[in-house]
Every structure is written in C-alpha cells, then in structure tokens.
Amino acid sequence: MFFNLRVSTKTTVFHLLSQLSDTMAPHGQVNPNQTVVTTIAFLFCILISINIACATTYTVGDSSGWNFNVRDWPTGKTFTAGDTLVFKYNPLVHNVVKVDIEGYNNCEVPQGAKVFTSGNDSIAVSVGHNYFICGFPGHCNMGLKIDINGATKAN
C-alpha cells in the first residue's frame, strides 16, 4: 500500500494523520486495517519526535574543532546523556582520550584509557562528568581538554 504524503520537519503529527485519513478513507469509510496503519504511523512520528528532541549533536570547538584553548567551549551549553560530541581534528597532531578526573586534572593518559584517533570521532555523552584530553605531549597542559557534564534525560 502506497501513500501520497509529503513530510517535512515542519509537518505536525496532526497534519500527517489528517493526510493519512484523507488518503485512506476519502468517503468516511472506516476500515480496521486503515486504523492500524494510522495508529502505527502516529506512534512512529511520536518516536521520531522524541528522539530528535532528546539528542543533540555538538561539534567540539565549533568551527575551530578540537584544538588549543577549547577548554571553555562547553560554557553556556547544556549537555544531556545521549547527546553526541563530534571531535574534528588533524590526527597527525592531535587525538582524543576519554579519561577520569585524575587524568583530566593531571593531563595524563591512564593505562587502558580509550584513545580516539580518526580525526572525526563521535562520542556519546554519559550521565555525569565526561572528561576528554589530547594525549599528545603538552597539548592538554596548553588547554586541549574539556569537561562535559551530562545531565539525566528528562522523561
């Protein structure tokens, strides 16, 4: 079964359901199968809306990327568990290391720490503090580190 629907980001659930109803039952006839399809479409739209509303993607450092003096970049931003941090950098001169508070404060890469080296790393924010440093010698001490505090998702 095909539907002639035009969906955009501004399409409301009500408008979508109205289009579905007009397409499927143009003369006021109600078919149980049509009701099931409409209900599934409605639930699908709700799930997509919730996912879009709850997850945000941030490019660390904005247009400058993961680079020196990025330490204050999180200031004024609100992060939620499930958000994505995208670290863009030249992998020949930087990397990203997920560390604990000691690694962050001392600018040291602990044994067994997760090291990212692609130059375009996407990392999900978890609840609580998420500490990241550059593991190249001296880079963390020159400000190439961030502390992202991930809030719990609102229900």
Side-chain angles (χ1 to χ4, degrees):
M1 181 179 288
F2 296 96
F3 303 103
N4 184 16
L5 298 176
R6 221 177 84 191
V7 180
S8 72
T9 55
K10 295 183 180 181
T11 302
T12 64
V13 172
F14 177 79
H15 184 69
L16 179 62
L17 291 176
S18 173
Q19 285 183 340
L20 261 174
S21 298
D22 291 347
T23 303
M24 295 172 66
H27 303 292
Q29 303 162 346
V30 177
N31 179 325
N33 292 333
Q34 293 171 345
T35 303
V36 169
V37 170
T38 302
T39 302
I40 289 171
F42 175 76
L43 292 174
F44 181 73
C45 290
I46 296 278
L47 289 173
I48 288 175
S49 298
I50 289 170
N51 190 31
I52 289 170
C54 293
T56 303
T57 299
Y58 295 93
T59 299
V60 175
D62 298 319
S63 61
S64 298
W66 178 239
N67 214 329
F68 296 105
N69 298 317
V70 75
R71 186 177 188 171
D72 293 328
W73 172 80
T75 304
K77 295 174 179 65
T78 303
F79 300 94
T80 304
D83 287 349
T84 301
L85 301 174
V86 179
F87 292 83
K88 295 185 179 201
Y89 57 93
N90 179 343
L92 297 176
V93 294
H94 297 303
N95 62 18
V96 179
V97 185
K98 185 164 176 54
V99 297
D100 57 18
I101 190 167
E102 289 179 37
Y104 181 82
N105 287 336
N106 299 323
C107 286
E108 294 176 355
V109 177
Q111 187 173 358
K114 177 67 177 162
V115 180
F116 299 87
T117 59
S118 76
N120 189 22
D121 305 309
S122 294
I123 304 171
V125 173
S126 9
V127 173
H129 289 274
N130 296 255
Y131 300 103
F132 301 96
I133 67 171
C134 178
F136 278 59
H139 290 197
C140 176
N141 289 319
M142 291 191 292
L144 194 43
K145 65 181 187 176
I146 57 170
D147 172 9
I148 302 294
N149 193 4
T152 305
K153 285 185 183 181
N155 290 331

